[in-house]
């Protein structure tokens, strides 16, 4: 059963196969002489992008979460090669703009996504260390640094939040009393996508792009651009801080299955759904049961 209702099973089958073939083709081409060496760093980064988008496509289709771990090695290899080549091509200022969490919203979200996936999938230490080295920006963000520090225990923690919109709500959920955390976490997930459609700032530091590159890809489904809109940032916080995410189960953008194994019982799901029903949010119960068991 697909986890993402915006596209049917046939869509995911078609574009997952396409992604596998595209990665294979790009890797073969990367071994050939380059017509323009200045483009090679970006080419390898696009290979890395194909890997993480494939992970989302397979999650959206409903594939086993454990199957996603196989793509981390290739992703890391391509990203490392992109960084290595970039030191020879990009100016110091260009390298900062490509890597900075403060000025590059896409980089910040990517690091948050990969951190959440890495923590949920419990990737090996060697891969984790390579990932944190690629993410960089140690001590830059009070939220993402805290989450990364749950496994990288010596990491410095930033004092400011790079992107208050939409991430202030997630930070509030982490800092809230346990009784308030489920409600605030739900508010974050509900507003996450809408608040990423950010207006251009007129002054001060702003991101290179005011909204992520993939924003609006749901309108490009026919061309295969859409890979799912999943708020892995919330999963990362739930995993690290043991937040109660029961009010988020069934929300369109919440990838709660990343934290739940395939052996979840119907009784456990009913208990969660009953808890949500008591909070007077009945639509979640329907979507949760339908998503996990195909019944209402």
């Amino acid at each position: 059963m697909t986890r993402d209702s915006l596209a049917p099973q046939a869509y995911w089958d078609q574009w997952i196969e396409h992604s596998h073939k595209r990665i294979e083709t790009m890797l073969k081409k990367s071994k050939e002489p380059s017509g323009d060496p200045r483009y090679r760093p970006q080419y390898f980064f696009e290979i890395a992008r194909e890997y993480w988008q494939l992970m989302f496509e397979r999650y959206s289709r409903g594939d086993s979460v454990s199957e996603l771990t196989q793509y981390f090695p290739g992703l890391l290899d391509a990203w490392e090669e992109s960084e290595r080549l970039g030191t020879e091509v990009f100016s110091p200022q260009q390298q900062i703009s490509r890597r900075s969490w403060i000025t590059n919203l896409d980089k910040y979200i990517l690091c948050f996504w990969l951190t959440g996936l890495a923590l949920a999938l419990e990737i090996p230490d060697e891969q984790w260390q390579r990932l944190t080295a690629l993410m960089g920006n140690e001590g830059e963000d009070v939220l993402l640094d805290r989450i990364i520090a749950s496994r990288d225990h010596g990491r410095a923690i930033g004092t400011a939040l790079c992107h208050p919109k939409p991430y202030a709500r997630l930070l509030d959920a982490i800092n809230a009393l346990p009784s308030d955390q489920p409600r605030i976490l739900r508010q974050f997930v509900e507003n996450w996508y809408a608040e990423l459609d950010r207006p251009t700032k007129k002054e001060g530091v702003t991101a290179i792009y005011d909204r992520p590159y993939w924003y609006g890809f749901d309108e490009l489904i026919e061309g295969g651009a859409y890979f799912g809109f999943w708020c892995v940032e919330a999963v990362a916080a739930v995993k690290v801080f043991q937040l109660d995410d029961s009010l988020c189960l069934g929300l369109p953008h919440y990838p709660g299955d990343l934290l739940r194994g395939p052996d979840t019982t119907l009784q456990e799901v009913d208990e969660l759904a009953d808890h949500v029903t008591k909070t007077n949010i009945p639509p979640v119960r329907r979507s949760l049961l339908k998503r996990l068991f195909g019944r209402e």
Side-chain angles (χ1 to χ4, degrees):
M1 178 186 298
T2 59
R3 294 185 177 97
D4 190 325
S5 61
L6 286 182
Q9 178 82 29
Y11 172 89
W12 298 117
D13 292 345
Q14 175 187 354
W15 291 105
I16 287 170
E17 181 181 3
H18 177 271
S19 293
H20 277 119
K21 290 181 178 179
R22 178 165 170 77
I23 290 172
E24 181 180 357
T25 299
M26 293 181 76
L27 287 173
K28 287 182 179 178
K29 191 172 182 179
S30 71
K31 295 178 172 62
E32 300 173 358
S34 177
D36 186 353
R38 294 173 298 177
Y39 181 65
R40 288 184 67 80
Q42 183 61 32
Y43 188 79
F44 275 96
F45 190 73
E46 289 181 6
I47 295 175
R49 178 184 295 173
E50 287 292 329
Y51 276 112
W52 79 68
Q53 291 186 171
L54 176 58
M55 293 170 77
F56 279 120
E57 288 172 343
R58 292 201 58 181
Y59 181 83
S60 297
R61 185 171 68 177
D63 293 3
S64 171
V65 169
S66 63
E67 291 291 316
L68 306 182
T69 59
Q70 66 183 289
Y71 302 112
F72 259 101
L75 187 160
L76 295 170
D77 288 345
W79 193 0
E80 286 171 342
E81 185 64 6
S82 174
E83 289 294 307
R84 186 188 70 81
L85 293 170
T87 60
E88 304 171 1
V89 172
F90 300 120
S91 69
Q93 185 58 42
Q94 287 174 320
Q95 292 187 48
I96 291 173
S97 68
R98 289 172 62 87
R99 297 170 179 171
S100 170
W101 286 351
I102 297 174
T103 60
N104 193 327
L105 175 62
D106 281 325
K107 176 66 180 293
Y108 180 80
I109 294 174
L110 169 63
C111 291
F112 222 140
W113 280 355
L114 294 182
T115 296
L117 288 169
L119 291 170
L121 299 173
E122 299 181 351
I123 65 173
D125 287 341
E126 181 267 341
Q127 293 179 21
W128 173 259
Q129 291 164 6
R130 292 169 65 191
L131 176 62
T132 56
L134 286 164
M135 292 192 295
N137 290 279
E138 181 175 1
E140 293 296 322
D141 186 75
V142 64
L143 175 60
L144 186 47
D145 278 327
R146 285 175 65 184
I147 290 173
I148 295 173
S150 68
R151 186 164 175 178
D152 186 3
H153 302 301
R155 187 179 180 89
I157 308 298
T159 58
L161 186 61
C162 290
H163 300 285
K165 190 173 184 177
Y167 296 102
R169 280 194 177 93
L170 185 56
L171 183 61
D172 288 343
I174 291 170
N175 292 333
L177 295 172
S179 58
D180 294 327
Q181 287 176 336
R183 173 182 55 81
I184 301 173
L185 181 66
R186 179 185 171 97
Q187 289 175 348
F188 166 67
V189 175
E190 287 179 321
N191 290 279
W192 166 76
Y193 184 71
E195 289 193 349
L196 283 172
D197 188 10
R198 308 185 317 180
T200 301
K201 297 177 182 178
K202 295 183 179 180
E203 58 185 25
V205 176
T206 185
I208 296 174
Y209 304 106
D210 295 301
R211 63 182 188 179
Y213 76 90
W214 45 265
Y215 200 94
F217 273 16
D218 54 330
E219 299 176 3
L220 303 174
I221 286 181
E222 293 301 321
Y226 179 67
F227 52 86
F229 296 151
W230 298 108
C231 184
V232 182
E233 299 95 319
V235 162
V238 169
K239 173 76 173 182
V240 169
F241 298 102
Q242 299 297 298
L243 306 181
D244 178 356
D245 68 345
S246 58
L247 297 186
C248 295
L249 296 176
L251 292 178
H253 299 305
Y254 185 65
D257 287 353
L258 288 172
L259 300 175
R260 288 166 176 80
D263 56 348
T264 303
T265 67
L266 183 58
Q267 178 181 353
E268 290 171 333
V269 173
D270 280 336
E271 288 174 355
L272 286 172
D274 287 340
H275 174 73
V276 174
T277 300
K278 292 175 183 177
T279 65
N280 297 316
I281 313 177
V284 174
R285 176 183 176 88
R286 289 183 48 142
S287 62
L288 174 63
L289 292 173
K290 182 177 180 181
R291 176 167 57 86
L292 291 181
F293 292 98
R295 75 177 184 87
E296 301 184 19

